[in-house]
Amino acid sequence: MSTRAACIICHEGATGSRTLVSNPAMLKELLDCCKERVALGQNDLQIITDRLENLSETDRASAYYHSECRKPIVNKTEIDRLRAKRTDFNSPGCSQRGPGRPSAEVGSRPKRTKTTQKAIACMFA
Ligand SMILES: [Zn+2]
């Protein structure tokens, strides 16, 4: 008779200060973050990753978690830090290629020519 809802991350129920939340979209994001972290070497998240991945759409819709448990996992700053560390280990000589790099010279495009149209056609080919 264990119908009491429990957190999918820590398996504990709701407590006075920690309430259980159900939000499939957030769980999807959580899974993505878990996967990324496991790929970056956080093997302890493999269990949660598997657990989340094995959830059906229905299960996910009725799954609960503490937002306190989810937050540190989806913390982008922390993931970026892991990623940076990983990059250092992998290839010390590799040039930095960050996602936040501003794309310069947006306004100074070359004249529109057939080349541009060809490029667009390629995308759909
Ligand atoms: Zn929890």
Side-chain angles (χ1 to χ4, degrees):
M1 300 276 273
S2 59
T3 46
R4 209 169 65 100
C7 172
I8 197 164
I9 300 162
C10 71
H11 290 300
E12 283 176 35
T15 63
S17 57
R18 303 195 302 174
T19 51
L20 286 169
V21 191
S22 178
N23 186 328
M26 293 288 224
L27 281 175
K28 182 76 177 55
E29 191 194 359
L30 176 67
L31 172 59
D32 289 342
C33 291
C34 281
K35 275 186 188 168
E36 175 139 34
R37 276 168 177 258
V38 170
L40 291 170
Q42 285 215 307
N43 294 324
D44 49 326
L45 286 174
Q46 184 66 55
I47 298 165
I48 299 173
T49 309
D50 289 344
R51 200 181 297 153
L52 287 167
E53 219 158 19
N54 289 329
L55 288 179
S56 67
E57 291 285 316
T58 331
D59 287 341
R60 195 179 288 157
S62 56
Y64 290 92
Y65 60 87
H66 299 116
S67 53
E68 287 88 349
C69 290
R70 196 192 75 99
K71 250 179 230 162
I73 299 176
V74 298
N75 188 321
K76 293 272 187 279
T77 318
E78 184 64 22
I79 293 175
D80 281 347
R81 205 174 58 83
L82 284 169
R83 198 183 285 146
K85 222 162 82 179
R86 174 87 169 188
T87 314
D88 284 350
F89 280 135
N90 271 358
S91 45
C94 190
S95 62
Q96 280 193 331
R97 199 171 57 90
R101 195 184 214 173
S103 52
E105 300 173 74
V106 179
S108 60
R109 276 183 167 201
K111 274 174 273 168
R112 234 179 261 176
T113 55
K114 273 179 187 169
T115 331
T116 322
Q117 290 190 334
K118 206 175 177 183
I120 292 166
C122 280
M123 269 165 51
F124 291 101

